[in-house]
Amino acid sequence: MSRKKSSDRNRVPMRRCIGCMESKPKQDLIRIAFYEGELSVDPGGKAKGRGVYLCRNRECAALAKKKNALQRNFKQNFSGETIDRIFEELLNAEQ
């Protein structure tokens, strides 16, 4: 039986934003999940599949969209409608 160190209990999970590329606490970011060919915004952070994280502000969303960050990170070509839908959901979830 192994014991966890006290430092493990105090550690805050960090993730990197695909827009600004800064590492931030996981709870400050919103997750976008890709599972079985479907792309979805995952505000709870518990959906199945591969996920990427994005800051909850318009600037990072616009930067990620401009850099084609979703296509690059998931190594997929998504339709323009899919990308527009995801970024629209992100802007609504930010509020």
Side-chain angles (χ1 to χ4, degrees):
M1 184 159 77
S2 66
R3 289 184 162 186
K4 288 196 172 200
K5 297 177 190 172
S6 63
S7 62
D8 288 346
R9 281 183 251 133
N10 298 331
R11 188 172 27 201
V12 175
M14 302 291 281
R15 299 293 184 267
R16 184 178 304 263
C17 171
I18 62 170
C20 64
M21 300 305 289
E22 290 182 25
S23 290
K24 298 184 178 181
K26 183 178 173 182
Q27 74 256 11
D28 294 348
L29 303 172
I30 191 160
R31 183 173 185 257
I32 301 169
F34 181 64
Y35 182 67
E36 293 184 347
E38 289 294 317
L39 199 58
S40 62
V41 176
D42 178 22
K46 302 286 184 188
K48 286 184 177 182
R50 178 162 169 74
V52 296
Y53 293 84
L54 197 59
C55 294
R56 296 176 183 265
N57 63 53
R58 293 180 186 276
E59 294 80 21
C60 283
L63 194 55
K65 189 173 183 179
K66 181 180 175 186
K67 296 189 315 184
N68 294 319
L70 292 175
Q71 291 93 323
R72 188 177 63 251
N73 282 280
F74 292 123
K75 296 179 177 83
Q76 295 286 321
N77 287 323
F78 300 110
S79 68
E81 295 84 30
T82 301
I83 296 297
D84 291 340
R85 176 183 55 84
I86 290 298
F87 282 100
E88 184 66 33
E89 284 182 43
L90 283 170
L91 294 177
N92 292 334
E94 152 188 319
Q95 299 156 14

